[in-house]
Amino acid sequence: MKKIAILMLAVVLSACGNNGGEFEGKWVETNDGTSLMSIERNNNEFLVTISDSTEPADAFTPIPATLKDGKLFLERSGATVTYVKATKTAVVSSMLAGAEFKRAK
């Protein structure tokens, strides 16, 4: 009985491990470095701001996003952000375009 309880606890704790923390932070586009992305936690959702390095950061409105199946789904835009563990990059994709971001230094 004790082994079953320990196994169940391990399963529950491993399911809670993917809380979106890998997305949080500042990112820069790998292609040309002009696009910047900031991802911040806002209670149970996230705020994603994608901007151009030539414009002031406050000129861009954050987009609410929710975590589902290991991806961030940006509301109103239909875009997703996927964290690629192997390359430690974030890939933003939508119906019109896509971009890869690496952590800003």
Side-chain angles (χ1 to χ4, degrees):
M1 187 68 160
K2 204 180 231 184
K3 288 182 182 180
I4 293 173
I6 292 172
L7 180 61
M8 289 177 62
L9 179 61
V11 169
V12 168
L13 290 176
S14 66
C16 295
N18 188 6
N19 64 1
E22 65 274 19
F23 292 102
E24 292 180 80
K26 303 219 181 282
W27 301 82
V28 61
E29 187 179 7
T30 59
N31 187 27
D32 60 12
T34 60
S35 293
L36 306 172
M37 177 170 62
S38 173
I39 301 176
E40 300 174 12
R41 184 176 300 278
N42 184 35
N43 296 321
N44 292 332
E45 66 178 14
F46 294 83
L47 293 174
V48 179
T49 305
I50 299 176
S51 59
D52 186 321
S53 62
T54 62
E55 297 287 331
D58 60 353
F60 298 90
T61 304
I63 302 169
T66 55
L67 181 66
K68 183 179 177 187
D69 298 328
K71 296 181 180 184
L72 287 180
F73 289 84
L74 281 68
E75 297 176 18
R76 300 184 314 256
S77 71
T80 60
V81 181
T82 304
Y83 180 75
V84 182
K85 189 175 182 178
T87 58
K88 297 181 181 175
T89 58
V91 177
V92 178
S93 58
S94 69
M95 294 180 65
L96 301 175
E100 182 180 51
F101 289 79
K102 64 181 177 182
R103 290 213 181 267
K105 294 182 182 185

